[in-house]
Amino acid sequence: MTRRRSPTPPARAAKVSPKPSGRRSILWRHRRGLFLLGLLATAVVGGVAAVVLNVPLPSSDPLLQTSFVCSAAVSEGCGPENAMAAFSAQEDRINVPFQELPEPLIEAVLAAEDRGFYRHGGIDPMGIGRALYQDIRNAGVTQGGSTITQQYVKNAYLTSERSIVRKVKEAALAVKVERELSKDEILERYLNTVYFGRGAYGVGAAARAYYGKDVREVGVPEAAFLASLIRSPTSADPLTESEEATRRRGTVLAAMVEEGYITATDRAAIDETPITTGIAAPRDRTGLGLVAGADVGSMYFVEAVRQQVADQYGEETLYGGGLRIYTTIDLDMQAAAWDAVVSTLDEPGDPAAALVALDDHGSVKAMVGGRDFKASQVNLALGTKGGGSGRGAGSSFKPFVLAEAIREGISLKATYKAPGQMTFPKANAGQDWRVRNYGKTEQGTLNLIDATRVSSNTVFAQLMLQVGPVDAVKMANSLGVSATLPEVPSVVLGTGEVSPLDMAAGYSTFANRGVRNEPSMIARIEQVGEDGVTVIDQAAPSGRRVLSEDEADLVTYCLRGVVEGGTGKAAAFGKPVAGKTGTTQDNKDAWFVGYTPKLTAAVWLGFPDAGPDGEVPTMNNIHGLPGVTGGSLPAEIWRKFMERVTEGTDTGTFRSPEAFPEGTSSGAGEVTSTSLEASTSSTSSSVPESPTTTSSTSSSTTTVPVAPTTTVTPSTSTTQRDRGA
C-alpha cells in the first residue's frame, strides 16, 4: 500500500519589515504603569495570603462581657465587687445546638442574609455584585454583600471599624474559618452570637425576648421577623415601630418565596397576621442584678446613665461591650436627698417632688426623679429628657433676668415703683396685660435688691422690658438652662418650661462666680478588651465664663437676701446660703433653688399628671397650707438636704461686693413709648414673705442695705401673673 505523502507546504513569503507607524502600542506605552500595578496586585495577594496563613483564629466561643456602673466612691477598678449596677447580656444569651434549630429559622436567615452560604467558600463575589445591583435598582428585596461567615467573623473577632484593613482581615479570617469549621458549625455560631435587639444575643434569647417562647417552637412568621432584625435590630421593634417591622418581615418572606422555602400562598397568609401578634413586652433592663441605693431612689439616676450610654455607644456595646462606667453620684448624698423628700412629703395625696444637686464642677451628686420607679420611669428631675414635661419656673426665673440687667449695667440701687397691680396697655400681643404681686400687695418703691428679696412681680415686669426678653433668654441659656424658652416678657415670671437639672445648672453658675460647668453624670468610661482596659470617654473640664466675678457676686448678694430676710427664710440653716423661691399661678408648681459656695440644689414640687378634668391639680390644702409655695415645703426639703450633706464640712464663704456700681439708674421708659398705668397707687411698703407668713416692710427687716436712688418710671411688659413666692 502506497503511503500518502503530506502535501508540500507553500514557500514562505519573504519577511517584510513593517513600516514604522510613529506610534507605539498601548501596552508598550503603559508598560511602566502596568508593571507597577502588577507589583501592587502581587503585594496585595501576598498580603492577603500572609494574613490567611499568619492571623490566628480566635477562641471559638467569645463571651460577651458585662458592663458595670460604679458610684463616685469608686475611682479605679470598677467591677462586680464594687459596682452599683450592671448591664449584662449574658443572661439573655442562650446557645442552641444546630440540630435543635428549627428549619424555618435557618431558611429565613439564609434567605435574608446569605442565599449562597452552602456554596461559597467564605466570601461571595457574586453576592457582592448582586447586592450592588439590587442597591442600584433600589429593589425591595435586598441582601447585604457580606456572607454569614464574614458577619460571624466581624461579630466574634473584629470591630465595626470601617476600613480597608478591617475588610481584608474579615475576608481572610472568613476563608480560614471555612477551612477549619463545617458550614453547620459556622451557622450555629453565627445564630448564637448575632444581636437581635432588646439585649438579646443569639436566636435562643431573641425568641424569648420577642415571643416569650423557646426557639424550637418558632414557626415561619416568627422566623421571618427575627431574621429581619439582624441588619438593624434597634429600629424595628413591633411595639414601637410596627410599620417598619411589618415591612421588614415582608421583605424576608419575599426572599423565602424566591428561594422556594415557602409558597406565595404561605406568604399571603402570614402577611394577614398583624406584626404584633404574640409579641411580648420588653423586659425592664434597668433591673439587672442588685442596684445599690435602689431604696433611696438611685434607679432614676441609673436609668439616666443607661440611656446616655445607649444613645452614645448603642445597646450592643452597653449590654455586652465590657464597659466600666464611673459615675458622679454620691450615694450618701443620694440618701440625704431621698430622706429629705420622703420625710417632708409623708402624707397620702402629697404632690411629687424632684431634686438635683450639683457640685462646683457640674457633677450630679444626687438625683431624686420620683418616688416609685416601678410605677413610673418618668424622671421628673430631667423634664422632657426624662420622659416627662418641663414645668413653669415661677419667680425662680427672676435671677436670670437680674443677671442680664447687671450685665447691661443697670444698678442694683435703681428703684422702681412697686404697686400691687400694674396694667401694661397693649403689651401682650396687642392686649392689655396686668401684673400682680401676690395678694396685690402694695410694695412702695423698691430697689432691685429688695425687689429680689420680696419677689416683686411688678418690679421685675418693668425690669424685663428694660433688658428685653431676647437678651434675658440668651442669658438664661448661657448660664446653663438647656430648655427652649419663649422669647416673650412673660418668661420673667417663669412661663417657660424648665427642669430641676436646668435650674440647678443655671444657679450653679452664680455659685461658681460666673463660670458655667456642664452638668455631668459620667466621669469616665473604660472598655475591657483583649488588649486590656482602654479609656473611651473622659469628662473634660467644661468651665466657661459667662459672667464676670463681680457680676455673679452681685446676683449672689441679692439671693442671699432672699434667704436671710425674704421669701426663702425657711431654707436658712446657719451657713452661707443664696437662693430663690418660685411658685406658679394657682400653686401648680413650687420651687426652691439655692446654693452654698460649693454645692447647688434645685427642688421642685407639683403633681406631674393632669387630673380627670384635664388640668394639673393645684397644691392647695397640703400639710395644712392653703397653698404650697416655693418658700414652704420646697425650701424645707432643700434645707434638710443641705444641712445633712454639709454637716462637718467647710462650705466656703461668699464674697460680698465691695461696691455697687452706679450703672444705669433710669431709662426704663425708653423701652417703649406706650404709657404705663398702675391700677392702684403705691402707698404701702408692706410685703408678704409667703402666703403663710406675716408682712414686713421693704427695708426695715432686711439684712442687706437699701440704697434708694432715682426712681425708674415703669415700662411695658407681656408677662403673666406669678405668685412671687
Side-chain angles (χ1 to χ4, degrees), residues 513 560 576 596-598 650-656:
R513 303 189 70 197
R560 289 171 62 187
T596 68
K598 296 181 181 179
D650 179 11
T651 61
T653 57
F654 292 121
R655 179 179 175 182
S656 296

Side-chain angles (χ1 to χ4, degrees), residues 70-78 82 326-327 524 526:
C70 288
S71 70
V74 180
S75 59
E76 296 291 341
C78 180
N82 52 21
Y326 296 83
T327 71
R524 185 173 80 254
E526 299 173 344

Side-chain angles (χ1 to χ4, degrees), residues 28 49 99 171 188 195 280 290 415 453 469 477 519 523 528 544 649 703 712:
W28 178 258
Q99 60 270 21
E188 176 186 325
Y195 183 60
L290 178 65
T415 58
R453 178 178 62 82
N477 291 148
V528 178
R544 178 169 63 89
T649 67
T703 59
V712 176

Side-chain angles (χ1 to χ4, degrees), residues 466-489:
Q466 274 188 267
V467 303
V470 173
D471 287 340
V473 167
K474 287 182 179 178
M475 173 58 72
N477 291 148
S478 68
L479 289 169
V481 177
S482 64
T484 300
L485 300 168
E487 294 179 341
V488 294

Side-chain angles (χ1 to χ4, degrees), residues 325-529:
I325 306 167
Y326 296 83
T327 71
T328 61
I329 190 171
D330 183 314
L331 291 179
D332 290 335
M333 288 191 179
Q334 178 67 26
W338 178 263
D339 291 344
V341 170
V342 299
S343 67
T344 303
L345 303 177
D346 57 354
E347 297 179 5
D350 277 350
L355 185 154
V356 175
L358 304 176
D359 69 8
D360 51 353
H361 300 292
S363 300
V364 176
K365 309 307 293 184
M367 176 184 290
V368 176
R371 295 285 291 271
D372 187 348
F373 187 79
K374 291 183 179 180
S376 174
Q377 290 79 52
V378 173
N379 191 332
L380 300 174
L382 301 181
T384 56
K385 294 179 181 178
S389 62
R391 300 301 290 253
S395 290
S396 63
F397 193 88
K398 289 174 181 174
F400 303 140
V401 180
L402 181 66
E404 176 60 21
I406 293 171
R407 188 194 68 80
E408 293 184 10
I410 297 175
S411 174
L412 295 181
K413 296 180 181 181
T415 58
Y416 298 73
K417 291 181 179 180
Q421 177 173 300
M422 296 185 69
T423 299
F424 298 85
K426 300 181 180 180
N428 185 15
Q431 301 295 318
D432 288 356
W433 168 65
R434 292 177 177 81
V435 179
R436 286 185 266 174
N437 294 325
Y438 174 72
K440 298 183 182 180
T441 304
E442 300 288 342
Q443 296 172 328
T445 299
L446 301 174
N447 62 23
L448 291 179
I449 299 171
D450 278 347
T452 303
R453 178 178 62 82
V454 301
S455 198
S456 174
N457 291 338
T458 53
V459 170
F460 270 89
Q462 299 168 62
L463 183 65
M464 181 60 159
L465 289 178
Q466 274 188 267
V467 303
V470 173
D471 287 340
V473 167
K474 287 182 179 178
M475 173 58 72
N477 291 148
S478 68
L479 289 169
V481 177
S482 64
T484 300
L485 300 168
E487 294 179 341
V488 294
S490 62
V491 77
V492 68
L493 299 185
T495 57
E497 294 186 345
V498 296
S499 70
L501 181 62
D502 277 332
M503 299 304 289
Y507 276 56
S508 70
T509 303
F510 300 143
N512 295 331
R513 303 189 70 197
V515 175
R516 169 184 173 177
N517 291 312
E518 295 296 332
S520 61
M521 296 182 293
I522 299 174
R524 185 173 80 254
I525 300 179
E526 299 173 344
Q527 186 168 28
V528 178

